[in-house]
C-alpha cells in the first residue's frame, strides 16, 4: 500500500550534556494517528544536540523504509534542529554538520519542518528515555483497536498494519475523479506576461527589480483575458459542471498585478493580492542571466542546482518557496471550495504546484518550461487528490 504523507517525530537527550545519550524517533500516519514504525537507541556519550540530530536521521531513515513515496512533515521540540534544517540558522558546530548533511540527503523535496512544544513531542521523548533505561522498544508497535478521535474509519496505514482492507493509490485517485457530491476546486495558474527581463532571460525574483509588463506582455495579458472569458463550463466524470471564473488572485509583484488587472477587468471581477504567490527571491542573482551567474557564482550555482534546500546568495531556497506556495494553495482551497480561481503568479510557484501534483522527482522542476502568459490548470478534490488538466497552454 502506498502512503501519501507521514509525520516524523524525533527527539534526543543526554544525561549530563555531554553524557549518556539516546534518541527516539517514530513515523506516524497523520490520518489515523497510528505509529507505523519507531526506534529508540543509545549513543554512548554525546551532547543533547547530537542526540536530537541522531533522532532526526533515524526518523527519516524509518520513513524512507516504511513510506518511501510519502511526503514528510518533521516535528521536533528542538528549535535549533528545526531552524537549521529549514535553512534559517547556520550550522556552525562541527559535530552537527555531518548529521545535518545526512538528514538533508534523506529528507525528500518539500519536507516541512515544524517546531512543537515539548509536551507535543512526548512519544519521541519517551522512546529516548526508554532506550537509556534499557526498556525494549518494538520496531512496529501493535495498532490500537480503536482509531484516535477524529480518524476517519481507521483507514490508511493503521488499517494496513491491522490487516484490514486499504484502498490503493489508484483507487483513491479514481474516487477523487468520480466524486459527485463535491466538485473539485479548479485553479487556473496564469504566468504573468512578458517584461523586459523576461525577454532577456534574466533572473527576476521577488528580491530584485520589480519591472512592469512590456507592450508585448500587455498584449499577452489581453489574450489570456479573452481566453479565460471564453471558457465554457467543464464537467469532470461523475462530477458537477464547473462554471465561470469565481475569483482572480495575484502575486503582489507588479508584472503579476498588471496581468491580473487586465484579466479581472475583462471578467468583471476584482483582484485579490496574496503574498504567498510571489516569485522566489534569487538574491544576488536577480537581473543576471544564467551564463552570468555561472561565471560569477559557479560554486553557489552548482549547490543550488543540486539541492532545493540551498538558496542563492541573499535569496530564497526552493524548499522555502514550496512551503509558502503550499500554504497559499491551502488558503485558496479553504476560501473557494468547489470554485474556479485564476491565480496569476510566476514560473517557480507554478512548477512547484505541478511537481507536487505529479509527485515527480526533484529534478523535474529544472525540466519544465513555462512561456509568458500561459495557463496551467489543476483540479483539487475533496479527498485530497489532484489532477493536472493542462500545462503551459498558450491562449
Amino acid at each position: 500500500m502506498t502512503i501519501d504523507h507521514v509525520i516524523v517525530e524525533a527527539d534526543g537527550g543526554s544525561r549530563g550534556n555531554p553524557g549518556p545519550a539516546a534518541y527516539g524517533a517514530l513515523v506516524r500516519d497523520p490520518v489515523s494517528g497510528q505509529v507505523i514504525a519507531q526506534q529508540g537507541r543509545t549513543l554512548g556519550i554525546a551532547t543533547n544536540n547530537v542526540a536530537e540530530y541522531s533522532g532526526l536521521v533515524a526518523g527519516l531513515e524509518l520513513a524512507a523504509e516504511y513510506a518511501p513515496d510519502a511526503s514528510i512533515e518533521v516535528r521536533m521540540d528542538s528549535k535549533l534542529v528545526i531552524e537549521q534544517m529549514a535553512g534559517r540558522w547556520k550550522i556552525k558546530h562541527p559535530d552537527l554538520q555531518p548529521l545535518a548533511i545526512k538528514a538533508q540527503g534523506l529528507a525528500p523535496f518539500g519536507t516541512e519542518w515544524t517546531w512543537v512544544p515539548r509536551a507535543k513531542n512526548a512519544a519521541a521523548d519517551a522512546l529516548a528515555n526508554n532506550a537509556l533505561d534499557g526498556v525494549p522498544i518494538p520496531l512496529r508497535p501493535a495498532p490500537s483497536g480503536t482509531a484516535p478521535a477524529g480518524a476517519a474509519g481507521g483507514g490508511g496505514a493503521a488499517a494496513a498494519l491491522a490487516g484490514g482492507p486499504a484502498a490503493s493509490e489508484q483507487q483513491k485517485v479514481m474516487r477523487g475523479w468520480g466524486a459527485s457530491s463535491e466538485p473539485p476546486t479548479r485553479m487556473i495558474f496564469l504566468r504573468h506576461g512578458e517584461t523586459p527581463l523576461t525577454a532577456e532571460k534574466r533572473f527576476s525574483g521577488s528580491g530584485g527589480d520589480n519591472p512592469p509588463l512590456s507592450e508585448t506582455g500587455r498584449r499577452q495579458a489581453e489574450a489570456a483575458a479573452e481566453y479565460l472569458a471564453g471558457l465554457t463550463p467543464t464537467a469532470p466524470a461523475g462530477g458537477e459542471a464547473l462554471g465561470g471564473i469565481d475569483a482572480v488572485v495575484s502575486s503582489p509583484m507588479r508584472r503579476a498585478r498588471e496581468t491580473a488587472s487586465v484579466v479581472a477587468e475583462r471578467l468583471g471581477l476584482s483582484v485579490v493580492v496574496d503574498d504567498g504567490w510571489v516569485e522566489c527571491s534569487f538574491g544576488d542573482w536577480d537581473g543576471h542571466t544564467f551564463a552570468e551567474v555561472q561565471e560569477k557564482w559557479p560554486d553557489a550555482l552548482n549547490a543550488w542546482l543540486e539541492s532545493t534546500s540551498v538558496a542563492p546568495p541573499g535569496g530564497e531556497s526552493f524548499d522555502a518557496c514550496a512551503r509558502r506556495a503550499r500554504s497559499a494553495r491551502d488558503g485558496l482551497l479553504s476560501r473557494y471550495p468547489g470554485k474556479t480561481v485564476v491565480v496569476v503568479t510566476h514560473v517557480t510557484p507554478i512548477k512547484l504546484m505541478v511537481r507536487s501534483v505529479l509527485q515527480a522527482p526533484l529534478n523535474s522542476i529544472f525540466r519544465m518550461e513555462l512561456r509568458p502568459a500561459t495557463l496551467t490548470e489543476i483540479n483539487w478534490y475533496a479527498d485530497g487528490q489532484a489532477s493536472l488538466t493542462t500545462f503551459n497552454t498558450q491562449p
Side-chain angles (χ1 to χ4, degrees):
M1 187 201 77
T2 301
I3 302 172
D4 296 328
H5 182 71
V6 295
I7 295 170
V8 169
E9 300 173 22
D11 200 4
S14 168
R15 295 176 180 173
N17 197 31
Y23 67 77
L26 59 91
V27 179
R28 191 185 299 278
D29 174 15
V31 176
S32 69
Q34 295 285 357
V35 175
I36 300 169
Q38 63 183 15
Q39 190 177 97
R41 290 184 180 173
T42 56
L43 294 166
I45 303 300
T47 65
N48 282 330
N49 293 152
V50 167
E52 289 165 343
Y53 261 108
S54 298
L56 169 61
V57 170
L60 291 171
E61 288 176 336
L62 287 174
E65 180 177 358
Y66 289 92
D69 298 319
S71 59
I72 294 174
E73 179 188 3
V74 173
R75 297 180 183 177
M76 298 181 68
D77 61 64
S78 171
K79 191 76 170 176
L80 175 79
V81 175
I82 291 297
E83 293 297 314
Q84 287 180 340
M85 291 303 299
R88 293 184 287 269
W89 292 1
K90 292 183 178 179
I91 306 170
K92 298 180 179 179
H93 200 288
D95 290 345
L96 303 183
Q97 290 172 350
L99 289 168
I101 291 172
K102 187 171 184 180
Q104 287 169 348
L106 290 166
F109 170 71
T111 296
E112 298 178 68
W113 305 98
T114 304
W115 176 85
V116 296
R118 181 172 295 275
K120 292 191 175 182
N121 202 32
D125 178 68
L127 290 170
N129 280 294
N130 285 345
L132 281 170
D133 294 336
V135 177
I137 300 169
L139 180 60
R140 301 184 72 174
S144 61
T146 305
L161 289 172
S168 69
E169 182 69 14
Q170 186 63 26
Q171 287 171 329
K172 287 190 291 183
V173 171
M174 294 308 294
R175 278 208 307 273
W177 285 347
S180 58
S181 59
E182 297 180 61
T185 301
R186 180 192 193 190
M187 291 189 199
I188 303 174
F189 293 96
L190 170 61
R191 187 191 172 192
H192 61 79
E194 183 180 287
T195 74
L197 294 183
T198 309
E200 296 176 4
K201 296 187 180 296
R202 295 183 180 274
F203 282 94
S204 184
S206 57
D209 291 338
N210 195 12
L213 293 178
S214 63
E215 286 301 317
T216 297
R218 189 161 188 87
R219 288 194 298 272
Q220 292 169 338
E222 291 169 351
E226 287 300 316
Y227 178 91
L228 290 166
L231 284 182
T232 57
T234 60
E240 296 180 13
L242 299 173
I245 311 300
D246 296 290
V248 176
V249 177
S250 175
S251 154
M253 299 192 74
R254 183 175 178 182
R255 56 190 181 271
R257 286 190 290 107
E258 289 181 355
T259 303
S261 293
V262 173
V263 171
E265 182 178 359
R266 179 65 180 83
L267 299 175
L269 297 170
S270 58
V271 176
V272 178
V273 176
D274 187 337
D275 291 346
W277 295 110
V278 73
E279 176 61 291
C280 189
S281 172
F282 299 110
D284 295 344
W285 300 349
D286 271 315
H288 294 275
T289 65
F290 188 90
E292 290 170 347
V293 170
Q294 199 166 29
E295 180 181 352
K296 296 181 180 180
W297 296 275
D299 293 338
L301 179 63
N302 288 336
W304 179 72
L305 291 172
E306 290 175 1
S307 173
T308 56
S309 66
V310 175
E316 179 185 29
S317 71
F318 280 141
D319 282 357
C321 186
R323 288 191 294 271
R324 171 165 51 75
R326 186 165 55 245
S327 178
R329 176 207 63 189
D330 290 346
L332 294 185
L333 292 174
S334 176
R335 290 195 298 273
Y336 304 104
K339 304 295 185 181
T340 298
V341 183
V342 172
V343 182
V344 185
T345 181
H346 309 265
V347 165
T348 306
I350 297 174
K351 286 183 178 182
L352 291 169
M353 288 292 103
V354 171
R355 188 265 174 191
S356 69
V357 169
L358 298 180
Q359 298 181 0
L362 165 61
N363 59 9
S364 66
I365 59 177
F366 296 110
R367 289 175 166 81
M368 299 181 202
E369 184 172 349
L370 288 171
R371 291 166 292 177
T374 53
L375 298 141
T376 296
E377 183 175 335
I378 298 173
N379 286 340
W380 268 280
Y381 299 89
D383 64 1
Q385 298 297 324
S387 61
L388 178 66
T389 304
T390 61
F391 176 77
N392 197 33
T393 298
Q394 188 78 57

